[in-house]
Amino acid sequence: MANDNKKTAGKQRLGTLFVISAPSGAGKSTLCHQLLHKLRGLKLSVSYTTRPPRKGERNDVDYTFITQKKFKNMISSGEFAEWAMVHGNLYGTSLKRLKKLTKEGYDIILDIDVQGAMQIKKKCDNAVYIFIFPPSMRTLKQRLLNRGTDSKDIVDRRLEKARAEITGYKNYDYVIINDKLEKAYKELEGIIVSNRLKAENISDKQIKSLIK
Ligand code: ADP
Ligand code: 5GP
């Protein structure tokens, strides 16, 4: 995944990884779904997980749901770009899926936790790191309760983890506070669009077509 200054030398530009982390309930999935809906050339990295599907979640669309045994086999055979235990379940990003999509020129959203983001940082240099904050812990709790997907115990566990996770924001390139959804979305979209406009991300092919 290394970006060796030849990022745009070939016909096809190599996609960028947008690593997005946030405490659970901050609105990351909501923002990511809007991005995927509105921006072309962007794909979600579909993670593998041992967590059971929530109501409405689809296999291979939201996550690829697998058993602990299968997950551990995938760890042993080096199939993950990163993996972590989050809220008692295993989650991991497939190296093969990432390579395929970046080679095809797609930008990719990785909706992963702080532990996973730090593993990506060690391995990849074509990545941008974005941390999403809730406007307050009180709002975070309210959003988790309103979402209605987790029991009160799980909500409490997620809030406890949120306090620890938030301290990791300094390792990220950008911070977005998701108070008003529309404003947070515009800020997030702005990061992706401006990254695409960087000279290093414009392919030779695009320039040739401009000057012929
Ligand atoms: P995450 O993916 O970070 O766990 P979600 O995207 O599932 O969080 O959002 C948690 C809940 O908060 C959802 O019910 C969502 O509709 C709601 N939500 C997200 N962003 C906002 C916002 N800016 N204002 C109000 N509610 C929001
Ligand atoms: P949820 O179970 O609410 O969908 O996700 C719980 C947490 O796991 C979120 O913080 C999410 O970003 C994180 N997560 C999802 N997929 C991955 C992954 O592949 N790797 C890592 N490290 N974290 C992930």
Side-chain angles (χ1 to χ4, degrees):
M1 299 301 299
N3 179 8
D4 55 4
N5 289 337
K6 291 183 190 148
K7 193 171 177 187
T8 59
K11 283 186 188 145
Q12 181 76 52
R13 71 180 272 277
L14 246 191
T16 301
L17 308 181
F18 291 94
V19 177
I20 307 184
S21 304
S24 184
K28 186 165 35 113
S29 311
T30 307
L31 287 163
C32 289
H33 282 121
Q34 284 198 17
L35 276 178
L36 291 162
H37 188 66
K38 291 191 183 163
L39 282 188
R40 290 171 62 187
L42 191 65
K43 296 259 179 181
L44 178 72
S45 159
V46 178
S47 296
Y48 285 82
T49 185
T50 60
R51 163 168 86 59
R54 293 187 187 126
K55 203 166 161 250
E57 281 183 333
R58 288 165 299 165
N59 194 41
D60 292 335
V61 175
D62 301 290
Y63 284 103
T64 299
F65 298 96
I66 57 172
T67 60
Q68 284 232 10
K69 187 163 179 247
K70 172 103 200 291
F71 198 102
K72 286 184 178 160
N73 286 339
M74 288 179 75
I75 297 175
S76 310
S77 47
E79 289 181 55
F80 290 122
E82 63 74 35
W83 65 272
M85 170 79 81
V86 190
H87 308 302
N89 295 301
L90 293 162
Y91 295 81
T93 304
S94 155
L95 195 54
K96 199 163 132 196
R97 287 180 178 175
L98 280 192
K99 279 189 178 161
K100 180 175 182 291
L101 292 173
T102 45
K103 269 194 196 141
E104 288 170 357
Y106 287 107
D107 288 328
I108 307 175
I109 295 180
L110 278 81
D111 169 344
I112 62 177
D113 86 325
V114 176
Q115 306 169 73
M118 294 309 103
Q119 293 172 48
I120 295 288
K121 214 165 195 185
K122 285 191 192 137
K123 290 187 189 160
C124 307
D125 48 15
N126 56 329
V128 172
Y129 298 84
I130 305 164
F131 196 94
I132 298 170
F133 268 81
S136 69
M137 292 303 288
R138 204 163 70 103
T139 308
L140 184 64
K141 182 172 185 178
Q142 205 48 56
R143 283 186 190 165
L144 283 170
L145 292 172
N146 290 350
R147 188 169 67 181
T149 51
D150 301 303
S151 66
K152 171 104 180 25
D153 269 7
I154 293 184
V155 167
D156 286 344
R157 229 194 296 159
R158 285 178 187 263
L159 285 171
E160 211 175 287
K161 183 153 193 274
R163 290 187 191 280
E165 272 183 332
I166 278 170
T167 60
Y169 80 91
K170 284 202 174 150
N171 293 312
Y172 287 69
D173 300 312
Y174 298 95
V175 168
I176 291 176
I177 299 164
N178 180 20
D179 186 358
K180 294 276 173 279
L181 188 60
E182 202 177 322
K183 179 170 180 281
Y185 174 76
K186 280 202 177 124
E187 290 171 353
L188 186 56
E189 190 186 72
I191 293 168
I192 294 175
V193 171
S194 57
N195 183 72
R196 286 180 173 178
L197 298 175
K198 279 186 172 176
E200 65 179 41
N201 288 334
I202 308 288
S203 69
D204 291 352
K205 197 175 159 195
Q206 270 175 288
I207 298 300
K208 275 183 192 150
S209 75
L210 291 176
I211 57 175
K212 79 175 173 199

